[in-house]
Amino acid sequence: MKKILVPTDFSNNAKHALKVAASIATRMNAPLEILHTNTSIAYAPPLPEYAGATQYGLEDYYEMATTELFNLKNDLIAEPGYTALKIETRIEEGFLYSSIRRVAEEDGIGLLVMGTKGASGAVEFFIGSNTEKVIRTATCPVLAIPESEIEQFAPKMVVLASTLKADQIGAFQTLAQWQSIYPFDVRVLYLNNPAGFPDNPAVENAARNFAEKAGLKNVSAFVSSNTFNEEASILQFATDAKADLIVMATHQRQGLSHLLFGSLTEDTVNHSHIAVLSIPIKA
């Protein structure tokens, strides 16, 4: 796999996600990059008369951030199993999601791993979590790690929520690549018949065809119809299946389209106690 990027704000949740990313990087023989973004500077109003004081404050900030990144890297490689892990660090400025996207494009990132606390109520509607914004704009898959997720990432059961439309093949292919590293079983969950299949056997046949084309093994299909709350259905199904990972393809709707139709993937990430891998696809 290409390089794995882990954004951090030095919180316990971010450190937790870093441990998960390190576990994945070791299994996939991938280098790791830790990114810290100074987001406060993006919101600070220009005050020329205080430029000297601002510069002094920034010097202290970047010295602190550099030290924190140094300690994160050294603490990680000091742990058994991570001594050979290749780790880079980087500091950026600006909005978190745009900074992550820029770094991902510049450094050829193949996977983003982020800790998430989710968002709800008015915060979710008007602002959304940082992870949600990253999912909406990322050019590579994003693995969202909730606080409850264990550090040693080794999925045995994966739920793939899919519309089984033609554009979903990318999610199956990505999951097949992961399965070559982690020997997990896959349950494909099909909700509300978006592809218009005539019956359940047709759904099962479509899921089997997708799996065969992608090289995905140990796949079974499950159908749930007349579901008004798809997000809740996915989370309940994954919980009942004792899934370690939920996988979803996302069209990354933005602007008016996102406001009107929202994103099932982002909603699921916001409320899931299970890790969620979102895979960007093109309509």
Side-chain angles (χ1 to χ4, degrees):
M1 175 181 279
K2 297 179 181 178
K3 190 181 297 182
I4 298 174
L5 179 65
V6 187
T8 183
D9 58 2
F10 309 122
S11 65
N12 288 334
N13 198 30
K15 292 177 181 178
H16 177 70
L18 177 58
K19 289 290 186 68
V20 174
S23 174
I24 296 172
T26 302
R27 290 287 294 269
M28 295 188 172
N29 194 29
L32 195 63
E33 182 169 1
I34 310 172
L35 169 68
H36 175 70
T37 301
N38 178 7
T39 57
S40 60
I41 201 167
Y43 299 96
L47 298 172
E49 62 271 27
Y50 298 111
T54 300
Q55 181 62 33
Y56 178 78
L58 284 177
E59 289 177 358
D60 284 351
Y61 180 92
Y62 287 115
E63 182 177 349
M64 177 278 296
T66 301
T67 300
E68 288 282 355
L69 287 172
F70 178 82
N71 290 337
L72 282 177
K73 177 179 178 178
N74 281 0
D75 289 346
L76 200 55
I77 60 177
E79 294 190 20
Y82 298 145
T83 54
L85 189 59
K86 297 179 180 178
I87 305 175
E88 300 175 10
T89 61
R90 181 167 174 171
I91 299 176
E92 291 292 324
E93 298 176 347
F95 295 107
L96 182 62
Y97 66 94
S98 56
S99 171
I100 291 173
R101 179 185 175 93
R102 182 176 66 256
V103 171
E105 291 176 342
E106 291 176 358
D107 293 354
I109 300 301
L111 174 68
L112 277 162
V113 180
M114 292 187 68
T116 179
K117 291 186 177 181
S120 59
V123 174
E124 181 178 1
F125 183 79
F126 289 108
I127 302 174
S129 70
N130 281 320
T131 309
E132 183 178 325
K133 292 180 181 179
V134 171
I135 289 171
R136 202 177 307 159
T137 57
T139 56
C140 64
V142 178
L143 179 63
I145 305 295
E147 291 180 289
S148 60
E149 179 66 22
I150 61 174
E151 292 180 357
Q152 291 299 320
F153 182 81
K156 301 297 183 184
M157 176 60 69
V158 174
V159 168
L160 171 58
S162 176
T163 63
L164 293 177
K165 291 184 177 180
D167 59 8
Q168 298 284 299
I169 187 63
F172 281 76
Q173 291 170 335
T174 298
L175 197 52
Q177 294 172 1
W178 282 63
Q179 196 181 53
S180 66
I181 305 297
Y182 300 100
F184 49 70
D185 293 332
V186 181
R187 294 188 179 183
V188 176
L189 177 62
Y190 182 73
L191 295 169
N192 289 334
N193 200 19
F197 293 112
D199 49 35
N200 287 2
V203 173
E204 295 166 0
N205 185 59
R208 184 166 53 251
N209 287 339
F210 270 92
E212 289 176 355
K213 289 179 182 178
L216 188 62
K217 304 180 184 303
N218 303 325
V219 177
S220 53
F222 296 81
V223 180
S224 180
S225 58
N226 299 321
T227 303
F228 294 101
N229 190 331
E230 293 179 319
E231 170 210 330
S233 296
I234 292 169
L235 294 177
Q236 188 60 57
F237 181 86
T239 299
D240 293 343
K242 294 181 171 57
D244 308 292
L245 178 66
I246 298 171
V247 178
M248 303 177 69
T250 175
H251 290 100
Q252 299 179 303
R253 292 192 181 100
Q254 299 183 45
L256 182 60
S257 177
H258 182 271
L259 181 63
L260 293 175
F261 302 107
S263 168
L264 179 58
T265 304
E266 293 170 21
D267 290 342
T268 302
V269 167
N270 269 336
H271 304 115
S272 178
H273 65 280
I274 301 169
V276 179
L277 178 65
S278 64
I279 300 170
I281 58 172
K282 300 300 180 182

